[in-house]
Amino acid sequence: NELIEYKKELLKEENYKIYSENYIKTQVENILYILENNAYIQNNELTNKGKMACMMHEINPFLFCDLYEETSGFNNYSGCEIISLFSCFYDSNNENTTNVYFEKEIKQIQRIINKYKDEETKYNLYLTNVTIQTNMIFYIKEWIENCHDIESSNLFLNKFKKETDLFIGEFIKCCLKLIHISNEIKTICEYFNNYDLLTKIDITITN
């Protein structure tokens, strides 16, 4: 009886091992298909788009690369607009407020999110987990455009506290994330020789 039970258990483990190996192989093949279908790899080699994705860690690299591609490297945007827009990727754990800026771009980002989610769902993959938050966009834009000394900064922070349910620390964390995103964009710009975008980001951050 013990031998029979042992053989049953061994067979069960072997079947589980085969299932796991097949599952992993299938999932890897599905991910590779999505990457190839969206021009991140070609003939098992990284494309330029794939190399760009490898340089972006602070936000979903697929979203960034598609947005970069669709906007021709953010050619028609100022540094302030780019950084303000990317605040939508900061998770503030707070309800979205009414946002009057970048309505077209927010819809564009949501469309890209939905595209990848739809592709992943076909293969039981759930990799793209992104929620757009618009409640920081207005304040980041105002901070960049209007706060250049202690007095204007204090006025802004008092206004921020009055108008939102968020702590000042939340705003600071969002700014720090945007600095990290900006640094990654600068690395991408240097690699792909996009000096126009590099200059716009650099001037906005340093000012």
Side-chain angles (χ1 to χ4, degrees):
N1 286 340
E2 288 184 7
L3 183 59
I4 292 172
E5 288 300 318
Y6 176 76
K7 286 182 177 180
K8 284 182 180 179
E9 190 65 29
L10 184 62
L11 182 60
K12 180 182 173 182
E13 292 296 325
E14 287 176 349
N15 288 337
Y16 180 75
K17 179 175 178 288
I18 292 169
Y19 169 79
S20 298
E21 289 174 349
N22 288 336
Y23 176 80
I24 292 169
K25 180 175 180 291
T26 301
Q27 293 297 73
V28 169
E29 287 173 352
N30 290 337
I31 291 170
L32 288 173
Y33 174 78
I34 291 173
L35 291 173
E36 190 167 16
N37 193 45
N38 288 280
Y40 289 95
I41 58 173
Q42 188 175 33
N43 300 322
N44 293 322
E45 296 285 339
L46 281 173
T47 60
N48 281 337
K49 190 176 180 181
K51 292 174 184 177
M52 182 181 292
C54 292
M55 298 178 192
M56 178 54 67
H57 309 284
E58 281 294 323
I59 59 177
N60 185 292
F62 292 170
L63 301 187
F64 175 80
C65 289
D66 275 26
L67 202 58
Y68 184 97
E69 195 173 60
E70 291 182 15
T71 59
S72 300
F74 304 99
N75 189 47
N76 295 320
Y77 293 87
S78 68
C80 174
E81 288 171 330
I82 295 165
I83 292 170
S84 301
L85 175 61
F86 277 98
S87 70
C88 77
F89 294 114
Y90 176 72
D91 186 5
S92 65
N93 295 316
N94 198 51
E95 289 186 9
N96 279 330
T97 55
T98 302
N99 174 58
V100 295
Y101 296 109
F102 307 116
E103 289 185 9
K104 176 176 71 72
E105 288 79 6
I106 294 297
K107 288 178 181 177
Q108 184 180 16
I109 292 169
Q110 190 60 60
R111 172 180 54 76
I112 295 169
I113 292 171
N114 293 340
K115 181 189 81 168
Y116 283 106
K117 280 188 172 181
D118 289 344
E119 282 195 60
E120 291 165 11
T121 302
K122 291 177 186 176
Y123 305 104
N124 294 317
L125 294 167
Y126 305 97
L127 305 174
T128 304
N129 184 23
V130 180
T131 302
I132 296 174
Q133 298 273 358
T134 60
N135 48 5
M136 284 290 193
I137 292 175
F138 169 79
Y139 295 104
I140 293 295
K141 191 171 187 296
E142 185 174 344
W143 173 263
I144 294 171
E145 290 179 339
N146 300 327
C147 298
H148 303 294
D149 53 37
I150 293 174
E151 185 180 357
S152 59
S153 298
N154 284 333
L155 285 171
F156 168 82
L157 293 173
N158 286 329
K159 175 186 175 182
F160 179 82
K161 283 193 289 186
K162 286 179 182 178
E163 293 182 354
T164 72
D165 296 326
L166 301 172
F167 294 107
I168 297 300
E170 201 73 32
F171 179 77
I172 293 171
K173 284 195 290 184
C174 180
C175 289
L176 289 173
K177 183 174 181 68
L178 290 170
I179 289 171
H180 293 316
I181 293 171
S182 299
N183 286 334
E184 290 185 346
I185 293 174
K186 285 164 65 177
T187 300
I188 288 168
C189 290
E190 288 169 352
Y191 185 87
F192 290 101
N193 300 321
N194 188 343
Y195 296 112
D196 179 54
L197 178 57
L198 175 63
T199 302
K200 287 191 287 190
I201 296 293
D202 214 19
I203 290 173
T204 305
I205 289 297
T206 53
N207 285 348

PDB file of all heavy atoms in Angstrom, residues 16 89 113 122 126 197 204:
ATOM      1  N   TYR A  16       2.760  17.328 -12.634  1.00  0.00           N
ATOM      2  CA  TYR A  16       2.800  18.747 -12.282  1.00  0.00           C
ATOM      3  C   TYR A  16       4.031  19.423 -12.899  1.00  0.00           C
ATOM      4  O   TYR A  16       3.956  20.548 -13.384  1.00  0.00           O
ATOM      5  CB  TYR A  16       2.822  18.909 -10.761  1.00  0.00           C
ATOM      6  CG  TYR A  16       2.865  20.344 -10.313  1.00  0.00           C
ATOM      7  CD1 TYR A  16       1.728  21.152 -10.384  1.00  0.00           C
ATOM      8  CD2 TYR A  16       4.054  20.909  -9.841  1.00  0.00           C
ATOM      9  CE1 TYR A  16       1.771  22.475  -9.997  1.00  0.00           C
ATOM     10  CE2 TYR A  16       4.105  22.229  -9.455  1.00  0.00           C
ATOM     11  CZ  TYR A  16       2.965  23.012  -9.522  1.00  0.00           C
ATOM     12  OH  TYR A  16       3.004  24.316  -9.140  1.00  0.00           O
ATOM     13  N   PHE A  89       0.991  59.260 -14.114  1.00  0.00           N
ATOM     14  CA  PHE A  89       1.433  57.908 -13.752  1.00  0.00           C
ATOM     15  C   PHE A  89       1.805  57.795 -12.269  1.00  0.00           C
ATOM     16  O   PHE A  89       2.236  56.745 -11.823  1.00  0.00           O
ATOM     17  CB  PHE A  89       2.628  57.491 -14.610  1.00  0.00           C
ATOM     18  CG  PHE A  89       2.291  57.347 -16.069  1.00  0.00           C
ATOM     19  CD1 PHE A  89       2.840  58.202 -17.012  1.00  0.00           C
ATOM     20  CD2 PHE A  89       1.418  56.360 -16.498  1.00  0.00           C
ATOM     21  CE1 PHE A  89       2.524  58.071 -18.362  1.00  0.00           C
ATOM     22  CE2 PHE A  89       1.094  56.223 -17.843  1.00  0.00           C
ATOM     23  CZ  PHE A  89       1.650  57.077 -18.764  1.00  0.00           C
ATOM     24  N   ILE A 113      -3.060  51.733 -23.169  1.00  0.00           N
ATOM     25  CA  ILE A 113      -3.235  50.780 -22.064  1.00  0.00           C
ATOM     26  C   ILE A 113      -4.196  49.677 -22.468  1.00  0.00           C
ATOM     27  O   ILE A 113      -3.926  48.483 -22.289  1.00  0.00           O
ATOM     28  CB  ILE A 113      -3.748  51.497 -20.796  1.00  0.00           C
ATOM     29  CG1 ILE A 113      -2.684  52.423 -20.216  1.00  0.00           C
ATOM     30  CG2 ILE A 113      -4.201  50.476 -19.734  1.00  0.00           C
ATOM     31  CD1 ILE A 113      -3.188  53.323 -19.091  1.00  0.00           C
ATOM     32  N   LYS A 122      -5.849  37.897 -24.282  1.00  0.00           N
ATOM     33  CA  LYS A 122      -5.984  36.774 -25.230  1.00  0.00           C
ATOM     34  C   LYS A 122      -5.138  35.574 -24.802  1.00  0.00           C
ATOM     35  O   LYS A 122      -5.466  34.428 -25.102  1.00  0.00           O
ATOM     36  CB  LYS A 122      -5.537  37.204 -26.636  1.00  0.00           C
ATOM     37  CG  LYS A 122      -6.448  38.210 -27.309  1.00  0.00           C
ATOM     38  CD  LYS A 122      -5.863  38.607 -28.660  1.00  0.00           C
ATOM     39  CE  LYS A 122      -6.646  39.719 -29.309  1.00  0.00           C
ATOM     40  NZ  LYS A 122      -6.013  40.167 -30.576  1.00  0.00           N
ATOM     41  N   TYR A 126      -1.438  39.112 -17.610  1.00  0.00           N
ATOM     42  CA  TYR A 126      -1.955  40.324 -16.958  1.00  0.00           C
ATOM     43  C   TYR A 126      -0.764  41.152 -16.476  1.00  0.00           C
ATOM     44  O   TYR A 126      -0.516  41.291 -15.283  1.00  0.00           O
ATOM     45  CB  TYR A 126      -2.898  39.942 -15.814  1.00  0.00           C
ATOM     46  CG  TYR A 126      -4.023  39.030 -16.283  1.00  0.00           C
ATOM     47  CD1 TYR A 126      -3.932  37.646 -16.142  1.00  0.00           C
ATOM     48  CD2 TYR A 126      -5.143  39.562 -16.923  1.00  0.00           C
ATOM     49  CE1 TYR A 126      -4.942  36.816 -16.604  1.00  0.00           C
ATOM     50  CE2 TYR A 126      -6.152  38.735 -17.390  1.00  0.00           C
ATOM     51  CZ  TYR A 126      -6.048  37.364 -17.223  1.00  0.00           C
ATOM     52  OH  TYR A 126      -7.052  36.543 -17.699  1.00  0.00           O
ATOM     53  N   LEU A 197      14.595  67.069 -27.334  1.00  0.00           N
ATOM     54  CA  LEU A 197      13.847  66.634 -26.147  1.00  0.00           C
ATOM     55  C   LEU A 197      14.728  66.690 -24.906  1.00  0.00           C
ATOM     56  O   LEU A 197      14.272  67.107 -23.832  1.00  0.00           O
ATOM     57  CB  LEU A 197      13.306  65.216 -26.358  1.00  0.00           C
ATOM     58  CG  LEU A 197      12.530  64.589 -25.179  1.00  0.00           C
ATOM     59  CD1 LEU A 197      11.345  65.458 -24.776  1.00  0.00           C
ATOM     60  CD2 LEU A 197      12.066  63.175 -25.545  1.00  0.00           C
ATOM     61  N   THR A 204      13.715  72.332 -18.031  1.00  0.00           N
ATOM     62  CA  THR A 204      12.541  72.318 -17.146  1.00  0.00           C
ATOM     63  C   THR A 204      12.902  71.826 -15.758  1.00  0.00           C
ATOM     64  O   THR A 204      12.475  72.401 -14.754  1.00  0.00           O
ATOM     65  CB  THR A 204      11.432  71.428 -17.734  1.00  0.00           C
ATOM     66  OG1 THR A 204      11.127  71.882 -19.064  1.00  0.00           O
ATOM     67  CG2 THR A 204      10.167  71.492 -16.894  1.00  0.00           C
TER      68      THR A 204
END
